Structure formats: C-alpha cells, structure tokens
Amino acid sequence: LLAIVRHELGLSSTKSRFPGKGTCVAIYSRAINAQAPLDELLKSVFPWCVPWEGELKRLFAAYTASKQSENVLDYDDLLLYWAHAMGEPALAAEMGARFDHVLVDEYQDTNRLQAQILLALKPDGRGVTVVGDDAQSIYSFRAATVRNILDFPAQFLQKAELVTLDRNYRSTQPILEASNAVIALARERFSKNLRSERKSAQKPQLVAVRDESDQARFVADRILEFRESGIALKSQAVLFRSSNHSAQLELELSRRDIPFVKYGGLKFLEAAHVKDVLCVLRWAENPLSRMAGFRAACLLPGIGPSTATRLVDAVAASPAPAAAMRDFSVAPAIVEDWSAFVDVFTQLRQVKSAWPAEMELVAKWYAPHLARIYEDAFVRQRDIAQLQQIAATYPSRERFLTELALDPPAATSDEAGPPQRDDDYLILSTIHSAKGQEWKVVHILNVVDGCIPSDMGAGTNEEIDEERRLLYVAMTRAKDHLYLIVPQRFYVHSQAANGDRHVYASRSRFIPEAIVDCFESCVWPRAEEQARADCGQTSEPKRLVDVASRIRAMWN
C-alpha cells in the first residue's frame, strides 16, 4: 500500500534518488515504535534521507489516510492505536482495572511504544512484573531499547524490587566466567555474575587462524571430530554476526558432505516470491485490494507502476472485475503474457473454482516469471512447493489466506538442502536468530573488529554496547565447548580469483588483554603441521638437488 501511495504522490519519478519503498517502510516503522521525531530519526539512522524529510512526512500522512479509508491496520498500528487509546485516562483506567497482575517477559526486547502502553496500564506499578536480561538486549534495529529495562526500577513512586537470577543451568563454569568477563566491561548494566554447578577444566578456546579459508577448515575439522566422539551435528552450532559471514564455511561444509541448516534469512511471508504468489490469490479473493493488485500486475514484463495503477483502478471500479481485466488494453509486446494472466484471474474468480487446484494453477502460471525475476529461482521454488502443501490442508482459499497471515510457517529457501527424514545436520545461525537456543558445541566466526563489533554498528557508544551484548549472547549459547575464531586477514572482494589483496584484522575489542586469561589461546594449524602440509611430504629425509652445478655444466 505504501508503494502505491508513493507512486501516486509522484515520488517514484523524482529527478534524484528518493528512498525505496522498503526504506520508507523501515523509516515509518522505526518512527512509530521508537516514538522519535522524524527529523531526529533521519539524522541518526537514515542520514542520506534527511533532504527528503518533507516528502516523507507527506508520504506517511497519505499512507495513514489510505489505511484509514480502506479500514486496514498494519502491525505497527496495533500498538499505535492501543497507545493512543491508553492516552485517554478513562479508557486507561478501565483497561487497567481488568487485570490484577501484568507479567511481561523478555522486557529487554520492548520498544518505547510498548513501555508507554505498560505504564499507562498500571501507572502506579502495582501488580507489574517484568522479566528480562539487560545483557541480552540486541534488537535495536527494530526499535527495541535497553533503556526500558535499565530505567524500569525507578519509573514508579515506589521503587520496583529487583530480583537477580544468577544461577545458570546451561553452561559450564569456565564458559560463564569468560562471558561474565566480556559483559562486565559494559558501560552500564545490572551487576550480576552467572554461576553454574557444572564444573569443567576446559576454558573457551580463542583460536587464531590465517584467514577465512583456514577458519572454515578448522570448524569443519572440529565438527567431524565431535561427531565421531558422539556429539550429533544437531547439537553443534556455528554462529556469526551477519548472514554473509558464513559463505566460505558453507562451501567447505558442502565439499565435506556435512549437511547443514542455516537460520537468519527472511521469514516465510517476507520472501518476495511468496508475496508474489499470495498477491495473485488475494487479488482474486478481493478485487478491491489495491496492494495485492498493484504487486500482481507488476509481475508481468512490460507493466510498470503507471499501468498497474490504471489497471487496479479499472478493476476496483467495475462490478465485473474479470470483464474489466479482459477489456483493459496493454502494449502489443506483452499480449501473450497478459492473456495468460487474465485467464488465471478469470478462473480464480469463478464461483465453482476448486481449492487447492487454484493454488496449483497460480504456481504453474508463476513458474516462468519466477525464473525470469530471480537468479536463484531453483532454491525459491522450494518455498512455492511448501506453500502448495500448506494450501492443501485448508478447505478454502479464504480460510488459507486468513490463517496464513496469522500463523506463518518457516522458510526453506535459506537451507542448504532439506535433510532426509532421519538425517543429522549442523546448525548455522546469525547471533540474533540464536537467542534463546543452546548447543553442546558452539563456534563463533570472525571474532575481530569490523565483524564483532560490526563496522556498521560502532558509530555510537550505545551501538558498541549492543555489539558487546551480541557477543555475550553468542558465548552463552554454549553448554560444553566454545570456540571463538579470529582470522588474521581477510581478502578484498572484486579481485581476480587468485588475487592476494587483503587486509589484516585485530582481535575484537571486547576481548582485551585484561581478560584473555579467561580463554585458552591457540593457533591453528600448528606450525609443524602447516610445514608438512606446505611441503606435501612426511618426515622422510629430503633429497638435495644441486641446481647450481647443473647450470655450470651447461657450458662445459
């Protein structure tokens, strides 16, 4: 809907670069959830969009009016409308009186809008309990703020009671000691040191390797060793700051036939190809849906925003949507694709149209467009197949579309390959996606400055503090064995396959010399192993070759 409004305001044809629809949605959502003035938000998070502040305000005003005219809410509105309702003292008192006790879990992950609702619900704090760990506040990218939990005790006339839960049932004591040392250097936090009854003599290992290739080989070696010792692949995980950090490792795992599943990609309904299929079904279900119609029309080659807008308006204004579509004129070059789409839409609009045959019809029509639009169409096709399987479990198209929005499944397009029914497989995950999980063995990739902390997350003290918490979260996922891997150099992109341009990296600032004793530092591979590997020989005596005498003999 925002994309349609953006186009109607002429912002899709500006002479200089205007923020794309995805960026516009991100700015709008951040402004709502962070309760931040637009000008301040743009300066701090979207500085390149500052010149467009006036246009963005106009866009968001039109977007809000359009939602209200169509009687729809987005997810941000569910909180925003609630918060404004709580702004009325009478309504707030009535809602608050319904509950004797309010419990909020994972309070460190709440945003300002959610905290505002809670405080309005119970302004005196009576009966309010929040549970959370300030050291695990890692979602500021979606407007969560650690200030909510840090400031909570002092937000009421009667100061809140603080109960510290410091006994850990997951990790061994050496892992907790290292984790405690990392988080203890944070600028502001609730003081606590996790403790465990699980004793161990093995400290977390801080492993220095030559580059990302060695990092991948080291991880693969250790994974296979642990598997042979009886630790299943599913009980091992490799964590990383950003999804692209695992690229080299994924190649190495594939070469060694180690199956893996990767988490941290898009959620199922956020995947563009899934949205493409669903928008066709939604438009057929409700021809007045301008959002679905606009996206569906733009799937066809040769149809841009202007033509799509005219088509959507024509279909919405007609009492016979399928007839309006047949009468709509398009360029001769796309008549064939257009006719195929009209046939699909007409069949979907028939009263006696069968479900889930409709889903199969749309999937078949979409297949060539999937291949045309996306380079990784083969991988994305698995999601379409999964969507067809899900569709078969519902009695009607209407029920399918409704339930899917409320209870979406997980995506498969970010998996290395669907494992067999009784296969074992390794877990690859971003740190954000690993929160709340645990494994017997955890490897953390790229524990260097520029990766942890990310070079995109070190602009302010608050951002650096959150990056520290990310490392803490990653370390505390491990139950028995923890490896933090430090590549010494990274090769520069956009060079020849065998190019040697590289930059050197330093160990993460979150592990300074003062706490290195909490880790077992080592280098991989060991020097003697590397020497044998480089020479490609065993300990057999070397055969000397006198090249100099051979050169002299040439002239005798």
Side-chain angles (χ1 to χ4, degrees), residues 92-107:
E94 179 184 343
M95 291 186 195
R98 295 183 181 186
F99 308 100
D100 295 326
H101 300 278
V102 178
L103 170 65
V104 183
D105 197 10
E106 302 288 359
Y107 195 64

Side-chain angles (χ1 to χ4, degrees), residues 402-448:
T402 301
E403 295 293 332
L404 194 65
L406 296 175
D407 187 21
T412 63
S413 61
D414 57 356
E415 296 183 359
Q420 300 300 321
R421 187 176 299 274
D422 57 352
D423 258 356
D424 193 11
Y425 51 86
L426 177 70
I427 304 298
L428 306 186
S429 175
T430 61
I431 300 172
H432 286 101
S433 296
K435 189 166 175 282
Q437 304 297 314
E438 61 181 40
W439 296 275
K440 291 182 178 179
V441 182
V442 169
H443 295 83
I444 306 175
L445 303 185
N446 297 343
V447 186
V448 299

Side-chain angles (χ1 to χ4, degrees), residues 17-20 23-24 27 38-39 41-43 45-56:
R17 181 175 63 127
F18 184 77
T23 303
C24 291
I27 295 172
L38 183 60
D39 58 341
L41 177 67
L42 294 178
K43 290 176 183 177
V45 186
F46 303 92
W48 73 270
C49 299
V50 169
W52 297 104
E53 180 187 346
E55 289 79 1
L56 287 169

